[in-house]
Amino acid sequence: MKSNPPEPNGSAGAPSASDPAGPLAGVRVLDLTHVMAGAWCGCLLAQMGADVIKVERPTPGEELRMGQARTGGAFRPFDAVNHGKRSISIDLDRPEGVEIVRQLALSADVLVENYRPGSLEARGLGYDALAAEHPALIYASITAFGRTGPYRDRPGFDLIAQAAAGLMSLTGEKDAAPMSAGVPVADLGAGTLAALGVLSAWIHRLRTGQGQLVDTSLFEAALSTTLWESALFLDTGRVARANGARHRLASPYGCFPTADGWIAIAAGTQRTYRQLLEVIGDEALANAPEFATPVERLRHRDDLEARLRALLARRTSAEWLAELEAAGVPCGPVNDMESVWQDPQTLARDMLAEGATAPEAGDAARPLRVVGPAVKLSASPWQASGSAPVLGEDSRAVLAEAGWSAEEIEGWIAEGIVEAPPRDPGEEIGAGRAAPAPLRAAVGSASGGRSGSGE
């Protein structure tokens, strides 16, 4: 093991007026995550242009990769949250593997992890230990309930966080059993908030040269989505309950069946309600005093919705949507996953990123399509690569870039400390799927190292 780890990349300097490589080009991220929340944070940073190095245990790799293998690769959940990254496979149950990761962390700008509190600390890979040697390190930690408080040591998944944060009492139809949201909002929310925290810490580092700990959780991500419902309780003491697709302060606002499907209508204001009545053309409904004002419509919403359901069921979704849109009524189709990916708006907004998987275990590369960036920047756009790495695909390249010799790297591979695919005859030791983006100048010094930079 070499005595001195490579120097950290440092902070990116002022970008050019147009930077197609992305706003985080030149930022090195060590991704010690598994499953979804942490992996999604790393994926977002990769879309912003960071060089994200995914650290996984040796075969079979992390849990999502294992699940992907069970489907024969037909369904690729690992790729959905790990595209755009490089992969290095290291055994963290071996002291040598821990030391390799420690030295990689000391040369990184950002570390993202979602281990249970204390797990990485026990290996000497916690924030305090690493920051003592590398004060500029930004260390993002995602846990089930946060790093403090009485629940800090509890394990948890998206379902547990939704339940604990009250979301399951708010989701579904009135008086029905508790229900989780249709997508893992706690996982994805925690990953998104962690990425936001990393960006906040990055701005602080650009100003001061100092890194910091970023701490968020599935529980807090879920709880933070209950703004209205929490305000209702905190302001009045009233407890919100599941309300279906209804709005708590407006009616009509929900989903209504048509002759061939469903449409969503949000006509809660006086103006949009009048526009809705003009399209429907039902004189009795238009003249009903119990629906004359927003307050009355809320008071009699069950009756109003029943009458609207009967009227809207007479025509097709396309017919209603055409007239409602022309009249300025907020409305839309209730898409499923097939129809949303055929929707021209989805395609016009470049929400589909296409590429190819890396070949695995003798299989040929296959097409890969993933959700593209949901944020569009005019000068330094986010990009989704549409490809994800094979386990350990970049192990040799990453370690060679860090300064280790070919003999050291091949020795670790032979001992099972590091895993990498077999080398092709004549392949250079540093060869990998993709080289990192060119590094920018560091803040405070040309090298961005820990010495002479004030970090």
Side-chain angles (χ1 to χ4, degrees), residues 47-136:
Q47 289 185 9
M48 297 178 213
D51 176 26
V52 180
I53 300 168
K54 173 90 171 181
V55 179
E56 290 184 72
R57 65 190 180 196
T59 299
E62 68 126 296
E63 290 85 348
L64 279 186
R65 194 185 287 277
M66 293 167 59
Q68 188 163 287
R70 286 194 292 269
T71 72
F75 171 44
R76 309 189 69 84
F78 175 87
D79 294 357
V81 290
N82 287 288
H83 57 273
K85 303 178 184 179
R86 297 196 287 166
S87 172
I88 180 170
S89 180
I90 302 176
D91 188 351
L92 285 177
D93 290 329
R94 305 273 292 273
E96 301 92 337
V98 171
E99 179 60 17
I100 293 170
V101 171
R102 188 185 74 84
Q103 295 204 36
L104 289 174
L106 295 180
S107 66
D109 298 304
V110 178
L111 185 150
V112 182
E113 61 91 5
N114 63 336
Y115 282 75
R116 289 178 65 176
S119 179
L120 291 181
E121 284 79 2
R123 293 176 166 92
L125 299 175
Y127 172 70
D128 290 340
L130 294 176
E133 295 187 71
H134 182 9

Side-chain angles (χ1 to χ4, degrees), residues 93-385:
D93 290 329
R94 305 273 292 273
E96 301 92 337
V98 171
E99 179 60 17
I100 293 170
V101 171
R102 188 185 74 84
Q103 295 204 36
L104 289 174
L106 295 180
S107 66
D109 298 304
V110 178
L111 185 150
V112 182
E113 61 91 5
N114 63 336
Y115 282 75
R116 289 178 65 176
S119 179
L120 291 181
E121 284 79 2
R123 293 176 166 92
L125 299 175
Y127 172 70
D128 290 340
L130 294 176
E133 295 187 71
H134 182 9
L137 179 66
I138 295 168
Y139 190 109
S141 174
I142 305 171
T143 56
F145 289 94
R147 296 169 69 91
T148 58
Y151 303 159
R152 71 178 298 273
D153 294 320
R154 287 187 182 181
F157 291 91
D158 178 89
L159 177 72
I160 308 304
Q162 287 196 44
L167 281 188
M168 292 182 66
S169 72
L170 303 170
T171 307
E173 294 298 331
K174 183 179 178 181
D175 299 326
M179 182 180 296
S180 64
V183 296
V185 293
D187 274 336
L188 296 175
T192 302
L193 290 174
L196 182 61
V198 167
L199 296 180
S200 300
W202 185 251
I203 294 171
H204 177 79
R205 173 169 154 170
L206 290 174
R207 292 173 175 168
T208 68
Q210 293 296 311
Q212 60 184 297
L213 175 66
V214 176
D215 173 13
T216 191
S217 69
L218 308 188
F219 171 72
E220 288 159 295
L223 183 59
S224 69
T225 67
T226 66
L227 296 178
W228 279 45
E229 291 74 17
S230 289
L232 178 66
F233 172 74
L234 296 172
D235 294 343
T236 71
R238 292 170 53 196
V239 177
R241 302 296 182 189
N243 203 32
R246 288 172 161 180
H247 196 287
R248 300 191 185 280
L249 297 178
S251 180
Y253 191 105
C255 296
F256 298 88
T258 66
D260 63 348
W262 291 79
I263 59 174
I265 296 175
T269 68
Q270 195 69 0
R271 178 178 62 83
T272 55
Y273 180 66
R274 289 297 175 190
Q275 291 167 333
L276 173 64
L277 293 181
E278 291 174 6
V279 172
I280 291 177
D282 186 89
E283 187 173 343
L285 183 61
N287 293 328
E290 64 270 31
F291 308 137
T293 68
V295 172
E296 288 299 316
R297 289 195 290 276
L298 269 181
R299 185 174 294 137
H300 300 283
R301 84 157 81 205
D302 288 343
D303 185 25
L304 173 60
E305 291 176 357
R307 294 174 70 168
L308 286 174
R309 284 194 294 270
L311 292 167
L312 292 167
R314 298 173 181 177
R315 301 174 65 186
T316 67
S317 295
E319 290 171 332
W320 282 123
L321 291 175
E323 293 195 28
L324 291 170
E325 289 174 6
V329 179
C331 63
V334 179
N335 285 328
D336 59 17
M337 285 294 97
E338 180 179 14
S339 53
V340 74
W341 285 109
Q342 296 173 349
D343 194 299
Q345 185 65 20
T346 303
L347 304 178
R349 292 295 292 169
D350 293 326
M351 286 303 295
L352 178 63
E354 299 184 274
T357 64
E360 299 182 61
D363 293 337
R366 63 182 71 188
L368 175 66
R369 298 187 294 175
V370 296
V371 179
V375 177
K376 277 68 176 177
L377 275 67
S378 61
S380 54
W382 296 17
Q383 299 181 39
S385 74

